Amino acid sequence: MNLSVLYARWTLGLAGLMPLLVKAQEAQQETGGDGIGASTPDTMTTALTLGAGLIVVLAFILFSGWIARRVQGLGGVNTQALKVVAVLSVGQKERVALVEVGDKQILIGITPQSVRTLHVFDEPVVTGAQSAASGDFARKLQQVMGRGATGGSNDV
């Protein structure tokens, strides 16, 4: 059984018990009995009411968290206009990424402190089929930048 369904059923079951617990507490207060026997059921009813309320609140918090995770992708974000074609790590925290925006591809450098545009390509350098077929983004990038497949300097 799905965990969220179990939480929902348990919450509804406890919520159904709340009116019964409140009626029991009201009945105890109406009798107004004195002595030791009268205070014990009142304390027990109060403890049960508080415990049931606590469980309902905790179940509601867990259920709200589950709902928030489920609807996170429904925010209406349009990811079709911007697409990361390829990413190459050039250091521990530095990366070079090829991002497609409309009909242009933009080469960007990413560091922990900044994101900089390195080059804007008017024509697509790497298509989606090419990037999926061969993962050698570094070689293709070097060819496009005019360094050749094997030679050139190591600075990017």
Side-chain angles (χ1 to χ4, degrees):
M1 180 178 283
N2 193 354
L3 189 60
S4 62
V5 173
L6 184 63
Y7 284 141
R9 287 184 181 175
W10 201 39
T11 303
L12 290 174
L14 288 174
L17 288 176
M18 291 295 283
L20 295 174
L21 292 172
V22 170
K23 282 190 178 193
Q25 188 175 9
E26 289 174 355
Q28 180 66 29
Q29 288 175 355
E30 286 177 5
T31 57
D34 294 332
I36 296 172
S39 65
T40 305
D42 185 38
T43 305
M44 184 61 108
T45 305
T46 303
L48 286 174
T49 304
L50 288 174
L54 178 65
I55 290 172
V56 168
V57 168
L58 290 176
F60 179 74
I61 290 171
L62 291 173
F63 184 70
S64 297
W66 178 79
I67 290 290
R69 279 191 313 242
R70 292 295 235 175
V71 298
Q72 185 176 14
L74 300 177
V77 178
N78 185 4
T79 58
Q80 295 175 355
L82 183 69
K83 183 171 62 169
V84 177
V85 177
V87 178
L88 173 67
S89 179
V90 292
Q92 280 187 331
K93 296 181 181 179
E94 296 82 16
R95 291 176 176 26
V96 177
L98 186 64
V99 180
E100 187 173 321
V101 180
D103 59 346
K104 294 189 179 194
Q105 289 185 346
I106 303 170
L107 185 66
I108 58 173
I110 305 166
T111 66
Q113 292 81 19
S114 67
V115 176
R116 296 181 187 236
T117 302
L118 301 177
H119 191 25
V120 177
F121 298 102
D122 294 327
E123 298 177 3
V125 178
V126 179
T127 62
Q130 286 177 335
S131 65
S134 69
D136 197 5
F137 173 61
R139 183 179 52 82
K140 290 185 182 198
L141 178 62
Q142 287 177 350
Q143 286 176 349
V144 170
M145 296 301 286
R147 295 189 183 142
T150 58
S153 63
N154 289 336
D155 60 344
V156 175

